[in-house]
Amino acid sequence: MMRKLSLLFAGALMGASAMSLVYGTPGSAANAAGSETYKQLAIFGDIFERVRAQYVTPPDDKSLVENAINGMLASLDPHSSYMNAEQAQDMRVQTKGEFGGLGIEVTMENDLVKVITPIDDTPAAKAGVLAGDYIAKIDGEEVRGLTLNDAVEKMRGLVNTPIKLTILRQGADKPIELTVVRDIIKVKAVKFRVENDIGYMKITSFTEKTYDDLESAIDTIKKQVPNDKLKGYVLDLRLNPGGLLDQAVSVSDAFLNRGEIVSTRGRDPKDVTRFDAKPKQVDDINGKPMIVLVNGGSASASEIVAGALQDLRRVTVVGTQSFGKGSVQTIIPLGENGALRLTTALYYTPSGKSIQGKGITPDIKVDQPLPPELQGRDLTRGESDLKGHIKGADESSTGSGSAAYVPPDPKDDLQLIYAEQLLRGQKTDPAFPPNPEKAVLNQ
């Protein structure tokens, strides 16, 4: 159980360091290296050859070069890195939001792959895989000894290819053998439901499909609850590690009818790009009240959304301090050699504030108590804790981040309960509802 929970938190941290992406190529040519730089490169070449020739065991040349490149990039900040061809492909799969696979959400528990849930209408669900099943073998190979990433990679593959799973199920007297044929799995970036008179929407990541999934969620909620009965919406960005910048802009735009959403500023002071909401009479939720939930697992693109809606006084932000990742990574393709992920800009909220190393401060702080098995552990996650992070313009000794924990059962979720009570008028606070006339804008 503890391993499962730790994976949840690690996922939030790893996502925050990898998923805020802008595709493209460098804006300008690199400066020509000086003679001193070439001398340093000559030293590197000499050391490389000595390692190859004299190290106690023959090293792998490819690994040496990749590690040298990553060492250089890691010295810049925690989010710049080199991706080999396989890693670059994995990144493209994550941001695209669809892949060839089985359709199950999994974690690692007791050295086996545990099924959290099979996704509806996917090969796994149709083959009879159930929540709580343990996958012991994949195509006859024992899962014990594999990492979760290794096991997931084995289950992904070409569409229409079969895979055999050996499953251990509570109540079954012997292992169950299932053959599943892979298909295109479209990962839902937005999960939603209706809580009587409130529409709840949780964005899990910002992939190419996030905005479309959000619009579908809004349309469905409107059909299920008459406009005069709908009290408002909760937008849950907790444990959201980020993703594509353009999707963060589109999601923000859905709830705005005016104003700047975010600006990015690069190395050159003149390299400033601003993204604005499209002018319209009413936003996509007809101006209904909305509360945004954040915590220490809310990073990057999710902070862009929370920061824009907060500064423009469109929403009230409830929860705890967000992660504080305010940098933009450009993905620079290197052909068959993979891709370079390089920090090329910092982003700023409409008020001109940098989130880097600071995060989004909620309008109403609501702490979420930890369950007994996690009490006594420091679960705070924040950009300011990362070694070598870029110091933000508004970063202070307080730093960024907070606990990254959300209870699996909504009845234990104090932050969500507080948000719903505000929307229903069962609780009051000066920060709700916000006044759009008091929007905080960069002058």
Side-chain angles (χ1 to χ4, degrees):
M1 180 62 177
M2 293 299 293
R3 185 172 183 185
K4 172 182 173 183
L5 289 168
S6 67
L7 283 169
L8 173 67
F9 299 125
L13 178 60
M14 289 188 290
S17 66
M19 290 297 293
S20 187
L21 311 174
V22 182
Y23 294 95
T25 53
S28 59
N31 294 326
S35 59
E36 185 60 32
T37 302
Y38 285 116
K39 288 180 182 178
Q40 296 299 320
L41 288 172
I43 294 173
F44 171 79
D46 183 32
I47 292 173
F48 178 76
E49 289 301 331
R50 288 180 182 274
V51 170
R52 293 181 69 233
Q54 299 176 19
Y55 188 67
V56 63
T57 57
D60 178 71
D61 289 358
K62 183 178 179 182
S63 294
L64 284 178
V65 173
E66 284 190 10
N67 288 327
I69 293 171
N70 271 317
M72 173 180 64
L73 294 171
S75 71
L76 301 175
D77 68 85
H79 308 298
S80 294
S81 65
Y82 166 69
M83 295 177 286
N84 59 32
E86 182 179 341
Q87 292 166 336
Q89 176 59 25
D90 285 345
M91 181 274 300
R92 285 190 286 270
V93 167
Q94 288 182 42
T95 56
K96 189 172 183 180
E98 64 179 45
F99 54 87
L102 310 182
I104 49 177
E105 294 181 16
V106 296
T107 188
M108 206 78 176
E109 191 173 294
N110 301 323
D111 293 326
L112 298 175
V113 174
K114 183 180 180 180
V115 178
I116 298 174
T117 183
I119 302 171
D120 291 340
D121 199 32
T122 60
K126 293 174 182 177
V129 177
L130 302 178
D133 283 349
Y134 287 89
I135 300 174
K137 294 182 181 180
I138 301 172
D139 278 337
E141 181 181 346
E142 290 281 351
V143 167
R144 293 184 191 277
L146 298 178
T147 66
L148 181 60
N149 285 341
D150 289 339
V152 168
E153 189 63 31
K154 286 182 177 296
M155 288 187 282
R156 288 181 179 173
L158 297 176
V159 174
N160 294 327
T161 58
I163 181 173
K164 186 168 74 173
L165 303 179
T166 302
I167 288 174
L168 306 181
R169 180 176 297 167
Q170 187 173 6
D173 56 2
K174 61 180 181 179
I176 300 169
E177 302 281 351
L178 293 177
T179 298
V180 187
V181 179
R182 297 178 179 94
D183 200 352
I184 292 293
I185 306 301
K186 296 182 179 181
V187 180
K188 283 288 184 184
V190 181
K191 299 178 180 179
F192 68 95
R193 62 179 183 266
V194 170
E195 297 276 1
N196 297 317
D197 51 2
I198 291 174
Y200 170 85
M201 301 176 294
K202 179 178 180 60
I203 301 180
T204 57
S205 62
F206 288 85
T207 70
E208 293 176 9
K209 300 181 177 300
T210 300
Y211 176 71
D212 290 341
D213 285 355
L214 177 71
E215 288 296 294
S216 176
I218 293 172
D219 289 343
T220 302
I221 291 170
K222 285 181 178 179
K223 291 174 183 176
Q224 291 183 6
V225 187
N227 189 59
D228 61 334
K229 302 290 185 185
L230 189 62
K231 291 286 196 294
Y233 293 81
V234 174
L235 182 66
D236 193 347
L237 298 177
R238 295 172 299 175
L239 301 182
N240 183 318
L244 300 176
L245 175 60
D246 65 334
Q247 290 291 309
V249 170
S250 296
V251 166
S252 301
D253 190 22
F255 305 113
L256 297 169
N257 56 11
R258 65 181 180 89
E260 180 182 307
I261 293 172
V262 67
S263 63
T264 64
R265 306 177 193 178
R267 179 172 170 175
D268 187 333
K270 292 185 265 187
D271 184 14
V272 178
T273 303
R274 289 186 170 85
F275 300 86
D276 297 315
K278 301 183 187 71
K280 45 187 178 283
Q281 288 296 111
V282 67
D283 61 35
D284 293 3
I285 58 172
N286 302 320
K288 288 285 185 180
M290 187 166 77
I291 290 174
V292 170
L293 299 178
V294 298
N295 67 5
S298 307
S300 195
S302 57
E303 293 175 291
I304 290 176
V305 175
L309 299 179
Q310 182 185 55
D311 277 3
L312 296 175
R313 297 294 187 263
R314 175 62 184 88
V315 306
T316 297
V317 178
V318 171
T320 56
Q321 198 80 6
S322 66
F323 188 86
K325 180 182 180 292
S327 60
V328 179
Q329 281 68 50
T330 298
I331 301 301
I332 304 168
L334 301 175
E336 62 182 18
N337 296 316
L340 170 63
R341 175 169 43 205
L342 190 66
T343 299
T344 55
L346 298 175
Y347 63 74
Y348 295 77
T349 69
S351 64
K353 291 182 180 178
S354 168
I355 295 170
Q356 177 66 14
K358 179 177 177 60
I360 298 295
T361 302
D363 300 304
I364 305 173
K365 183 181 179 184
V366 178
D367 289 310
Q368 177 63 53
L370 298 176
E373 63 267 25
L374 293 179
Q375 290 177 7
R377 294 177 58 191
D378 182 10
L379 300 177
T380 300
R381 298 291 180 267
E383 175 80 8
S384 59
D385 295 325
L386 298 182
K387 183 179 179 180
H389 78 280
I390 297 172
K391 188 171 178 61
D394 297 308
E395 183 177 342
S396 67
S397 58
T398 306
S400 63
S402 60
Y405 173 73
V406 177
D409 192 334
K411 71 178 178 58
D412 300 322
D413 191 340
L414 299 190
Q415 294 167 337
L416 175 58
I417 292 170
Y418 194 98
E420 292 178 344
Q421 289 175 334
L422 282 174
L423 288 169
R424 293 187 177 119
Q426 297 164 340
K427 281 189 180 294
T428 60
D429 190 281
F432 180 80
N435 184 353
E437 299 302 318
K438 295 184 178 181
V440 184
L441 304 176
N442 190 22
Q443 300 301 318

